[in-house]
Amino acid sequence: MKKLLLLLSVVLAGCGGGGGAVPTTPVMLTASVKPVALFATSPQLLPDLRAKYDLLCGSEVMVQTAIPVDLNKDGKMDLVFTLWCRHNVSEAYTGPVPNTLVAFIQTSTGVFEDKTKEIFGSDMVDIGGISIGYVVTDLNSDGYDDMVLSCNREDNRTYLWTPSDQFSNMRCQTVSFISDGKGHYNKLTFGNILWGDDIKLIKDKNGNKQIVLLPADMSVEVWTFNGQWNRASGFEWLQKTPVFIQPENSTSPTMIVNKFDNGQKLEIWKNLNDGWSKLLDYPYLAPRTILLKNSAMNTTATTVFKVDNNDYIDYGGLYQGCALKRTKDGPTEVLYSFIGKLIEGGYTGQQLTDTWSPPVVKLISSGVTTENLNINPITLNTDQLDANFYHMECGDINGDGMDDILIRTTGTPLVYVNNGQGKFGKLNSSIIPKVPRGSAHIYVDIDGDGIKDLLYFPIDRWQFDWRENNTYTKVQFQLYKGNRAIMQDDLIFAN
């Protein structure tokens, strides 16, 4: 089966694979009785978007990204969504699909209004395609957050595969929205026409902000903004999913773990004397190419990986990564996710038929830290993934000052809280609000009370109130208010 990955804009695991006993140190609170439920029992519904959907393509609208950003500099978190429509005609198609941004401004605590036209100058804002990665930062130093969005045109179109340019039908320019200092934004496209899955924000040695474009075809570009976009040199060797290691309170990287998707290897690069030098090559996961029969009994090629002495069919392999401190006073280290389907009994050359079952997701520490340049993979947590993988990120989720892990999926969010002793407890899924069918989510403090809230938004049609005649009434996304911080009793630690 093809890799079970749904690569959208806007995360790994918890039962087995080297975890430890339940920690005695509480994660956040010391009370043994939960005062209230972690989240509100019923959602707040965001403003109705049916009119916007009808202008695009009605019930076929897809929501790719939800971006939290303060658009009007009032200290309250606003929301920007990227919407697009599939192209359902079978012939080759090279133009952009219908798409738009939607800006929800938080006019008072927890109350949102659609202010797209006021913010962006139009109710329909064409970004040229579909956005997956994004960066929010003040680029022109006017005190307002600006946005940079990756862009690609991957949808249901017929691909124009050519020997010289296999991505010719999936490319578009990166797009930015720059504040004018008065709460309005101007669109500026820049860079070469790329298939742009992801982007990162870093700083150079002088503290200047740099936007690193990490497209699928690995033609990396670095850009800076000073009233206009200017290309900078460096990082041409980067692959699509690197992990940047940087000092605390800085975005200037000092080390980079560079992952090759097709070459099955990691590289370690270090900034030495204002230049980047490769220190190490590391082949990973002992890949083997095999033939696999799919459900139609057609034979396809796939890869088998070995992890923790078990064999797995490639459902993504070593996928996304991030950097964090696993222990409170320890060094920053690099973690990666691995996604695969377990081959019961191992692979010994037998004919395999790919029948879908939930893949395994592993959280793996590479062993690379700011103090150790050698790779020595250690599995920290293992879990079953019941939905498509969406995005992985590291950061403090529960406000205790220690780095945690969030894995966004198209099902239940996977939240892993750090106990400060090198182990992660998974947030019990039974206390997370039920996931609407076909949704993604962001986990972010919307109302500024210091507690994360949970927003579910659709990637495909669950938001419709279907009737007998297949009509619908409203399109409203679901926001569950967080009531308190995560406690030890909310977590499941691996044995």
Side-chain angles (χ1 to χ4, degrees), residues 84-99 128-130 151-161 166-172 195:
W84 63 282
C85 306
R86 295 183 186 274
H87 181 75
N88 291 317
V89 180
S90 59
E91 72 267 13
Y93 179 72
T94 58
V97 293
N99 68 89
I130 306 160
C151 184
N152 68 59
R153 292 179 178 173
E154 183 176 359
D155 48 49
N156 278 359
R157 70 186 65 214
T158 301
Y159 298 146
L160 300 180
W161 302 112
Q166 62 178 347
F167 299 101
S168 59
N169 196 26
M170 292 146 56
R171 297 179 169 192
C172 55
W195 180 23

Side-chain angles (χ1 to χ4, degrees), residues 41-344:
T41 55
S42 59
Q44 172 188 341
L45 299 179
L46 296 189
D48 182 13
L49 283 177
R50 180 183 171 181
K52 290 267 171 75
Y53 273 54
D54 286 345
L55 283 174
L56 278 173
C57 53
S59 63
E60 296 299 316
V61 169
M62 314 292 285
V63 184
Q64 194 74 20
T65 317
I67 304 173
V69 52
D70 183 2
L71 290 170
N72 55 1
K73 199 182 173 183
D74 65 353
K76 294 190 290 292
M77 190 67 71
D78 307 311
L79 294 166
V80 172
F81 298 97
T82 60
L83 280 58
W84 63 282
C85 306
R86 295 183 186 274
H87 181 75
N88 291 317
V89 180
S90 59
E91 72 267 13
Y93 179 72
T94 58
V97 293
N99 68 89
T100 190
L101 295 182
V102 174
F104 281 168
I105 299 297
Q106 193 171 180
T107 54
S108 58
T109 302
V111 178
F112 292 85
E113 293 184 21
D114 182 356
K115 299 286 188 179
T116 307
K117 187 173 183 177
E118 290 89 333
I119 296 294
F120 296 114
S122 173
D123 261 323
M124 306 302 289
V125 185
D126 185 0
I127 63 173
I130 306 160
S131 179
I132 294 177
Y134 65 86
V135 163
V136 173
T137 187
D138 183 2
L139 289 167
N140 58 358
S141 302
D142 67 352
Y144 286 81
D145 285 333
D146 305 303
M147 296 188 301
V148 183
L149 281 64
S150 69
C151 184
N152 68 59
R153 292 179 178 173
E154 183 176 359
D155 48 49
N156 278 359
R157 70 186 65 214
T158 301
Y159 298 146
L160 300 180
W161 302 112
T162 64
S164 61
D165 185 3
Q166 62 178 347
F167 299 101
S168 59
N169 196 26
M170 292 146 56
R171 297 179 169 192
C172 55
Q173 275 190 300
T174 305
V175 61
S176 62
F177 291 90
I178 307 297
S179 164
D180 65 358
K182 301 176 183 179
H184 305 99
Y185 286 78
N186 299 309
K187 183 177 74 172
L188 291 175
T189 57
F190 67 97
N192 286 318
I193 299 175
L194 306 169
W195 180 23
D197 276 354
D198 201 8
I199 52 179
K200 289 183 180 291
L201 170 68
I202 62 172
K203 290 183 180 180
D204 63 17
K205 64 179 181 179
N206 298 316
N208 300 311
K209 292 180 179 179
Q210 296 180 309
I211 300 296
V212 183
L213 309 183
L214 296 162
D217 61 354
M218 295 171 288
S219 50
V220 173
E221 297 181 3
V222 180
W223 291 80
T224 61
F225 185 80
N226 185 16
Q228 62 182 16
W229 285 104
N230 301 289
R231 187 168 181 179
S233 60
F235 300 115
E236 287 79 10
W237 43 270
L238 274 181
Q239 300 292 300
K240 180 181 171 184
T241 52
V243 176
F244 292 78
I245 304 177
Q246 54 237 2
E248 289 189 72
N249 304 316
S250 172
T251 54
S252 298
T254 57
M255 285 177 55
I256 296 174
V257 175
N258 196 29
K259 183 179 78 72
F260 284 72
D261 284 326
N262 297 324
Q264 281 90 44
K265 74 169 183 174
L266 299 173
E267 297 176 338
I268 299 177
W269 289 71
K270 189 174 179 64
N271 195 334
L272 300 170
N273 301 320
D274 294 329
W276 287 93
S277 298
K278 185 172 69 169
L279 305 182
L280 178 68
D281 283 316
Y282 178 83
Y284 61 79
L285 304 181
R288 288 176 288 173
T289 300
I290 69 166
L291 296 179
L292 183 74
K293 289 189 179 295
N294 59 24
S295 57
M297 300 309 290
N298 297 319
T299 301
T300 59
T302 190
T303 304
V304 170
F305 295 115
K306 186 174 288 293
V307 186
D308 300 326
N309 293 318
N310 291 312
D311 293 327
Y312 295 87
I313 296 174
D314 178 14
Y315 270 40
L318 203 65
Y319 187 43
Q320 289 190 346
C322 58
L324 54 65
K325 284 192 172 185
R326 190 154 54 98
T327 58
K328 189 170 185 179
D329 299 318
T332 300
E333 64 185 271
V334 174
L335 280 72
Y336 270 101
S337 58
F338 170 82
I339 310 173
K341 177 183 174 182
L342 179 65
I343 302 174
E344 297 289 348

